[in-house]
Amino acid sequence: QVQLAESGGGLVQAGGSLRLSCVASGRTFSGYNMAWFRQAPGKDREFVGRIAWTYDATLYADSVKGRFTVSRDNAKNTVWLQMDSLKPEDTAVYYCAADARPLAMKRVDEYAYWGQGTQVTVSL
């Protein structure tokens, strides 16, 4: 079992930045692919970004490419989501997810472990 806990959400003006953190516990963090998803009110949960446990390879949704950055520190059991140039449409609950399978990529059902989420609100 892996437990995930997100933090760092809040209210920010458009154009601003936030940095979300996700701390993992329970099992060896380094063997897991880590991802961030988000869910806005009335919408499905959607993929934001992913970082593999091998070579720290990253993958991003087109909507955030160039603005968001996923990084990890295996020694700290932590993954971050740096969000820059935030837009009102980035408003959502952001979730951290983990899975040990190498093909875990962009789909919600590819991830076995989830955090409780942290709210990000971007105002005009």
Side-chain angles (χ1 to χ4, degrees):
Q1 283 281 15
V2 175
Q3 292 80 43
L4 304 172
E6 304 97 332
S7 62
L11 174 64
V12 63
Q13 286 190 324
S17 298
L18 276 177
R19 190 190 198 201
L20 306 183
S21 300
C22 173
V23 178
S25 61
R27 281 211 175 169
T28 304
F29 178 71
S30 61
Y32 285 78
N33 298 306
M34 304 297 297
W36 288 92
F37 288 76
R38 66 187 182 187
Q39 188 166 18
K43 295 189 176 181
D44 292 336
R45 193 168 298 189
E46 66 173 5
F47 172 78
V48 173
R50 168 197 186 263
I51 186 165
W53 75 274
T54 54
Y55 308 111
D56 287 350
T58 54
L59 184 67
Y60 296 97
D62 288 343
S63 59
V64 306
K65 201 173 294 183
R67 299 188 299 123
F68 290 12
T69 304
V70 182
S71 59
R72 67 189 293 166
D73 185 332
N74 290 338
K76 296 181 179 179
N77 285 356
T78 303
V79 62
W80 295 276
L81 178 65
Q82 177 66 42
M83 304 185 293
D84 299 318
S85 302
L86 282 160
K87 305 175 182 179
E89 51 263 45
D90 294 319
T91 295
V93 177
Y94 282 71
Y95 296 90
C96 176
D99 202 279
R101 292 170 291 182
L103 294 182
M105 291 287 182
K106 297 183 177 182
R107 286 169 33 190
V108 170
D109 62 2
E110 290 173 334
Y111 291 85
Y113 303 103
W114 292 84
Q116 81 288 349
T118 185
Q119 176 71 47
V120 172
T121 303
V122 184
S123 64
L124 288 169

